[in-house]
Each structure stands twice: as structure tokens, then as C-alpha cells.
Amino acid sequence: MINITSYVIGKMISYFGNDIKRINHALKVYGFCKSIGGIEKLNEYDMLILELAAILHDIGIKESERKYNSSAGDYQEIEGPPIAKELLKGLNLDENIIERICFLIGNHHSYNKIDKTDLQILIESDFLVNAYEDNIKKAAIKFMKDKYFKTPAGRRFLDTIYTNQ
Ligand SMILES: [Fe+2]
């Protein structure tokens, strides 16, 4: 039996091609999701959704740049889900799983739409990576932690990496 996550990581890498920055970003966000999701004891079903959404969360970025000349979050959120659906085809995944993955991809910049732990963890993980990649200031990181970080593991990682020194 194929391992779905491994297979989808391969698909993501092929899709991004030589865009190493995006590939690294997706792998880093996936790593944080895997750790936080495990520590927070997500069940297998939610974990699969979270892992696949993490791998594909920014998959709409190329189309956004091509169509609108922008990598802004709103465009990515629109362009991501159809591409994700295409990449997840043929894996025998339940329709509800695919729908939820697409919801996560389509809302991972919408902090006001967090309805469940899977999206919460994806947003925290993306920020844990972006704080470094975008050189976000300490004050903004603290603000983000107070306002939006909810999981104990995510809060702990943010402190360990960014705010404790
Ligand atoms: Fe991201």
C-alpha cells in the first residue's frame, strides 16, 4: 500500500519544480504540523487531513502569480483548492477528507475562520515558519501569540524559537 503523505509530498515537489523556496516552505510547515498535531493528540483522520493540507497549503501560489501577478493570500486561497483536488485525485480519499483539506487550504490566512484544531494547527505552523522566512519583528510575534496561538505545543515552539531570548 502506498503511503499517501509520502506520495503527495512527491506530487508537491514535482508541481513546484525548481522552486526550492516553496518546496522547503511546505516541508517546514508540514514538519511543524506533524509535531503539533501529534502532541495535541489529533486522531488519525484529522491528522491525515492536517498533513495533506500542510503539504499543499500554498499550492495556489504559482497560479496566483501567473493570473494576478500577485502571491497575496486571498488569491492563493482561491487558486489553491482546485489544484489540490487535482493532485489528490486517484488516491481513493474520501470526499469529506478532500473537502476539508480544500477548506483548510482556502482559509489558512483567515484567522477569523478557525473552526477546529486542524486549521488552528495549520495556521500556527505556517506562522512558525513565516516568522523566520519573513523576518517578523519580535513585537509582532508576541502579538500573534497572544491573539491567535491556542495550542500549548504551538505556543511553546514560538517561545522556544523566537520570544524566549
Ligand atoms: Fe505558507
Side-chain angles (χ1 to χ4, degrees), residues 63-122:
E63 273 304 285
S64 309
E65 286 168 345
R66 197 181 62 83
K67 278 194 194 162
Y68 319 99
N69 229 336
S70 161
S71 60
D74 319 1
Y75 295 130
Q76 273 186 60
E77 289 189 341
I78 301 167
E79 297 300 325
I83 300 164
K85 260 189 194 153
E86 195 56 38
L87 296 182
L88 293 170
K89 244 167 58 185
L91 290 171
N92 250 337
L93 284 167
D94 195 278
E95 201 44 50
N96 295 328
I97 294 186
I98 296 181
E99 279 313 310
R100 184 66 189 169
I101 293 169
C102 288
F103 178 82
L104 263 58
I105 295 171
N107 290 288
H108 78 275
H109 291 282
S110 313
Y111 296 167
N112 57 337
K113 288 214 189 135
I114 302 175
D115 59 344
K116 245 187 86 182
T117 321
D118 50 4
L119 182 55
Q120 177 68 39
I121 296 175
L122 178 60

Side-chain angles (χ1 to χ4, degrees), residues 10 16 22 24 27 41 43 60-61 68 73 79 87 97-98 104 113 125 128 138-139 143 145 149 157 162:
F16 280 137
R22 309 270 194 244
N24 282 342
L27 291 174
K41 298 193 169 63
N43 62 38
I61 210 159
Y68 319 99
E79 297 300 325
L87 296 182
I97 294 186
I98 296 181
L104 263 58
K113 288 214 189 135
S125 299
L128 275 157
K138 216 170 182 172
F143 175 83
K145 183 191 165 198
F149 268 60
F157 289 159
Y162 299 107

Side-chain angles (χ1 to χ4, degrees), residues 25 29 57-58 108 126 130:
H25 176 83
V29 173
H57 78 280
D58 279 338
H108 78 275
D126 199 24
N130 285 334

